[in-house]
Amino acid sequence: MSLFTDTYDVIVVGGGHAGSEAAAASANMGAKTLLITMSLQNIAQMSCNPAMGGIAKGQIVREIDALGGYSGIVTDETAIQFKMLNKSKGPAMWSPRAQSDRMRFAEKWRMMLEQTDNLDFYQDMVRGLIIEDNVIKGIRTTLGFDIKAKSVIITAGTFLNGLIHIGEKTFGGGRAGESASTGITEDLVKVGFEAGRMKTGTPPRVDARSLDFSKMVEQPGDEKPEKFSYLSSTKPLEKQRSCYMAYTSQEVHDLLRTGFDRSPMFNGRIQSTGPRYCPSIEDKIDRFATKDKHQLFIEPEGWDTTEIYVNGFSTSLPEDVQDKALRKVAGFENVKFLRFGYAIEYDFFQPTQLKHNLETKLVSNLFFAGQINGTTGYEEAGAQGLMAGINAALKVQGKAPFILKRHEAYIGVLIDDLITKGTEEPYRMFTSRAEYRTLLRQDNADLRLTPMAYELGIASKERLDRVIEKQEKTDLFVAFLRNTSIKHTDVNPILEAKNSAVVDQSMKMFKLAARPQLDFEDVKKFPGVLEFIEANGIDDEIVEQTEVHVKYAGYIDKEKKNADKLTRLENVSIPESFDYHKVKSLSIEARQKLTKIKPVTISQASRISGVSPSDISVLLVYMGR
């Protein structure tokens, strides 16, 4: 039965961060799109911590924004605190992070989606997929509707056969208070997909009125907060809410251990793998038994609510154990719980079953994005959703896929890692995963990606014009510093004040500005620099971009050359039908891995675990190189 007589270009299943970005991207590409979710009230809900960004994750949000996605704009509009992390390190490590108002975040997302052309909404559960001759044809809902589509993107998050654990209690659910999604996994397994199980968890939420913040360490935002979106329409915060830091103790750990025999993690009820880099509190005290304390970050959930997120206390221990242990943390003596922490198990599919455009290899026009691919985090999910939405629309329109390479974006690293290496635990992005992180900075995501997005039609002319202006003014400022000399009598007082070696003759400003002891507040004291900045309308963003270029020019040039070498291997394609078993010189492991992954280039083949440099040499010879 169906009241839906039209065929959609793209159906997006799931309204989380991946689904929201996918729906927005697809619709903005001109595709007739349907977003179907079990609850329209919970679109883009922050299921875990109320924050966006962080180490490497902040770079991803900037990239999403540069590509015309909504995450950066929504974050700026609903932030309550902003911090640029790692400012004491080089610019490749600078990572923006914002604390968000949870309720306003979801509300803003829904408002933006409802104002997006070509996008319809429908509330229902998808219980099955319509697949004919290994081509997706649509979806089947719990109410019995068949909805036809030219392509489908599944972004089910933790809802696929979700199972919630609190102590000895277990019940089905995709999130606290919401039911699990059934039927999709079973249909996919029937046509040959390999499914697995993963675990994640969340900490208790407590009432701020029951806490004594005077016993905690205040964590204010930056004095001069920045923002995520490159658009001029969003503004930095003028006021901020503080977070706080508290610590567990040996007494807290001992109390938590009393519940280990009732913990689903330790009594065998949870078999699946959890996130290595965001472990539960019981996992931390078990793995790091010699540590007598762990940090807890006390994060407000919004401007006006009293709800507090206890970051670092993720747990599935029984409620009574959670209560006793948390009361022994300084400031929590009289704590009132709004909800207890829990763990959740859910289905995922090995991402090696995908192509680089996030389309599945087994079923044409079917795309996966988000936690279904074994990732963790809003940012990783949003990035995949954006790319799946773009590529689903392109596929329907008969156009070539849009694929970001590893030297072009963290998003490119994320997707290549997933489909080339797979994952046995929830995948989280780190700066260390990127070989070219000096190129992939948070400050230049717009320069890298917005021209591509404009060509696709998902970035506005306003965005492109801002990028062109930014590049032109940066080049102008760099050229001024390269071509302008400064007398030693003018610069030596500045150098002496910064304990930098004085000079005995005139020098180009560029060379002096590159010194590590000097920052650009010092450079502004060079004669003529402030006048140049004011005369050319150079703002703080251009100054920062110029400073990075001046101080890290050598590193940037070196990485560009390395990236060019990689590109040469990216250009050596491998036919999809290539039979690795005919190449007897390959190792047995290489033949097995290459046959399973089906890399599309020699470069991708070189990144597969178990494929050695000698195997790559054999392939190059065999391919006629």
Side-chain angles (χ1 to χ4, degrees):
M1 149 177 141
S2 184
L3 300 177
F4 296 86
T5 55
D6 293 339
T7 298
Y8 282 95
D9 291 325
V10 179
I11 291 178
V12 179
V13 179
H17 296 259
S20 296
E21 287 287 6
S26 168
N28 285 325
M29 291 281 291
K32 185 180 178 184
T33 305
L34 174 69
L35 174 60
I36 180 168
T37 176
M38 290 192 287
S39 173
L40 288 172
Q41 305 307 315
N42 295 327
I43 282 177
Q45 182 173 319
M46 291 177 137
S47 305
C48 203
N49 65 317
M52 289 289 283
I55 307 301
K57 292 170 175 283
Q59 282 87 329
I60 289 177
V61 178
R62 283 270 166 96
E63 290 179 352
I64 291 171
D65 183 74
L67 287 167
Y70 291 178
S71 289
I73 299 168
V74 173
T75 303
D76 288 344
E77 295 280 356
T78 61
I80 63 174
Q81 187 194 86
F82 186 96
K83 276 191 173 184
M84 185 66 75
L85 307 181
N86 282 341
K87 282 291 278 189
S88 62
K89 300 181 180 179
M93 299 296 289
W94 298 351
S95 301
R97 183 183 190 272
Q99 204 72 25
S100 297
D101 186 308
R102 185 190 298 277
M103 290 184 288
R104 292 179 184 177
F105 184 92
E107 179 187 44
K108 180 64 180 178
W109 250 112
R110 180 166 175 175
M111 294 302 100
M112 287 191 69
L113 287 173
E114 288 185 357
Q115 292 161 20
T116 301
D117 292 337
N118 305 314
L119 181 56
D120 291 344
F121 303 87
Y122 178 55
Q123 180 170 297
D124 198 349
M125 182 192 292
V126 175
R127 65 174 179 85
L129 303 173
I130 304 169
I131 300 170
E132 297 174 8
D133 299 323
N134 292 328
V135 178
I136 192 77
K137 296 296 183 179
I139 59 168
R140 186 161 290 131
T141 78
T142 298
L143 290 178
F145 295 122
D146 288 356
I147 310 177
K148 297 176 183 177
K150 297 175 184 176
S151 66
V152 172
I153 305 170
I154 300 179
T155 70
T158 59
F159 284 78
L160 286 182
N161 292 321
L163 201 59
I164 292 174
H165 300 269
I166 304 179
E168 295 163 299
K169 303 181 181 73
T170 299
F171 48 92
R175 185 164 50 208
E178 297 179 63
S179 60
S181 172
T182 59
I184 293 177
T185 296
E186 292 73 12
D187 278 2
L188 291 170
V189 170
K190 277 179 195 172
V191 295
F193 283 92
E194 173 195 347
R197 296 284 278 176
M198 280 191 177
K199 175 194 86 77
T200 189
T202 193
R205 273 57 155 194
V206 301
D207 192 329
R209 296 170 297 182
S210 66
L211 305 182
D212 184 351
F213 291 100
S214 68
K215 296 182 179 179
M216 306 176 200
V217 181
E218 187 173 6
Q219 303 275 295
D222 289 347
E223 282 187 27
K224 292 183 177 179
E226 297 181 39
K227 60 195 188 79
F228 272 105
S229 180
Y230 292 101
L231 284 178
S232 57
S233 57
T234 64
K235 304 296 180 187
L237 286 169
E238 293 182 0
K239 64 172 184 173
Q240 302 185 69
R241 279 201 71 174
S242 288
C243 297
Y244 292 83
M245 188 188 295
Y247 293 91
T248 61
S249 63
Q250 196 60 57
E251 184 181 16
V252 173
H253 298 177
D254 290 342
L255 281 168
L256 289 169
R257 286 191 182 96
T258 64
F260 278 14
D261 61 329
R262 293 187 286 152
S263 165
M265 274 189 56
F266 295 110
N267 63 19
R269 285 215 326 279
I270 292 181
Q271 299 284 325
S272 46
T273 308
R276 178 193 302 260
Y277 302 104
C278 189
S280 64
I281 187 66
E282 56 264 39
D283 196 24
K284 280 191 277 192
I285 64 176
D286 182 57
R287 282 165 51 190
F288 307 106
T290 57
K291 291 196 71 171
D292 58 5
K293 66 178 180 179
H294 293 285
Q295 289 179 331
L296 301 178
F297 297 95
I298 315 308
E299 301 176 346
E301 298 255 343
W303 285 115
D304 305 312
T305 180
T306 63
E307 190 168 355
I308 294 288
Y309 180 90
V310 190
N311 195 342
F313 206 85
S314 180
T315 182
S316 57
L317 285 166
E319 301 95 314
D320 61 312
V321 177
Q322 293 186 38
D323 182 76
K324 288 174 187 173
L326 197 54
R327 287 182 186 280
K328 296 301 180 181
V329 173
F332 282 77
E333 293 83 358
N334 299 306
V335 65
K336 290 182 179 179
F337 282 75
L338 298 180
R339 45 184 160 147
F340 292 97
Y342 62 86
I344 181 167
E345 286 187 286
Y346 55 93
D347 292 341
F348 85 104
F349 291 83
Q350 268 299 340
T352 51
Q353 299 170 100
L354 302 176
K355 302 174 185 177
H356 269 94
N357 64 346
L358 297 180
E359 183 182 16
T360 67
K361 295 173 182 176
L362 279 175
V363 177
S364 294
N365 301 335
L366 176 64
F367 296 77
F368 291 170
Q371 285 178 284
I372 190 172
N373 291 335
T375 59
T376 180
Y378 310 140
E379 303 82 1
E380 290 89 342
Q384 293 171 73
L386 175 80
M387 295 300 286
I390 291 170
N391 279 303
L394 288 172
K395 184 80 186 288
V396 168
Q397 294 162 1
K399 297 176 182 176
F402 176 59
I403 295 166
L404 291 169
K405 298 183 176 66
R406 295 181 72 89
H407 66 279
E408 292 176 327
Y410 272 96
I411 295 173
V413 175
L414 164 67
I415 293 173
D416 185 67
D417 275 356
L418 291 172
I419 71 166
T420 301
K421 301 173 183 176
T423 186
E424 300 303 323
E425 61 187 43
Y427 178 102
R428 177 180 176 178
M429 178 53 72
F430 289 102
T431 52
S432 58
R433 295 192 190 274
E435 309 92 309
Y436 307 107
R437 52 187 175 272
T438 307
L439 300 179
L440 309 182
R441 306 182 310 276
Q442 55 84 29
D443 61 271
N444 71 349
D446 55 341
L447 299 177
R448 290 184 278 118
L449 301 175
T450 296
M452 299 181 194
Y454 183 73
E455 288 296 317
L456 286 169
I458 52 172
S460 64
K461 184 70 164 54
E462 177 197 355
R463 279 187 181 274
L464 184 67
D465 288 344
R466 281 181 61 81
V467 167
I468 292 170
E469 181 185 24
K470 180 177 176 179
Q471 187 65 68
E472 287 176 346
K473 288 188 175 181
T474 301
D475 292 344
L476 187 68
F477 197 4
V478 170
F480 171 78
L481 296 173
R482 282 192 186 279
N483 298 326
T484 308
S485 296
I486 182 172
K487 294 177 181 178
H488 67 285
T489 51
D490 289 330
V491 77
N492 279 342
I494 299 170
L495 298 177
E496 287 173 348
K498 284 301 186 84
N499 295 317
S500 186
V502 297
V503 295
D504 56 9
Q505 60 184 2
S506 295
M507 294 185 72
K508 297 295 184 188
M509 288 184 178
F510 186 97
K511 191 170 183 179
L512 291 163
R515 290 192 177 189
Q517 298 92 344
L518 271 61
D519 58 35
F520 262 50
E521 289 304 310
D522 301 310
V523 173
K524 287 177 182 177
K525 297 173 186 174
F526 292 0
V529 171
L530 264 182
E531 291 83 354
F532 178 85
I533 287 173
E534 290 170 2
N536 290 281
I538 291 172
D539 59 21
D540 291 343
E541 188 179 4
I542 308 295
V543 171
E544 181 184 276
Q545 192 70 205
T546 304
E547 182 171 12
V548 170
H549 184 92
V550 170
K551 291 189 177 297
Y552 296 89
Y555 297 102
I556 292 169
D557 289 343
K558 184 178 179 181
E559 284 201 357
K560 281 181 178 175
K561 287 174 183 174
N562 288 338
D564 289 341
K565 291 177 185 175
L566 174 77
T567 301
R568 289 199 287 274
L569 286 181
E570 288 284 4
N571 291 333
V572 183
S573 299
I574 303 174
E576 191 175 346
S577 59
F578 191 84
D579 186 356
Y580 296 97
H581 293 288
K582 289 182 179 178
V583 188
K584 302 303 180 187
S585 303
L586 290 173
S587 67
I588 293 172
E589 184 180 7
R591 285 201 294 270
Q592 292 172 342
K593 294 285 182 68
L594 290 164
T595 300
K596 180 180 180 181
I597 304 296
K598 295 190 185 314
V600 295
T601 66
I602 292 290
S603 180
Q604 186 192 356
S606 71
R607 296 189 292 272
I608 297 173
S609 174
V611 177
S612 69
S614 61
D615 292 320
I616 296 302
S617 297
V618 168
L619 279 178
L620 282 170
V621 171
Y622 203 87
M623 302 293 288
R625 291 295 296 271

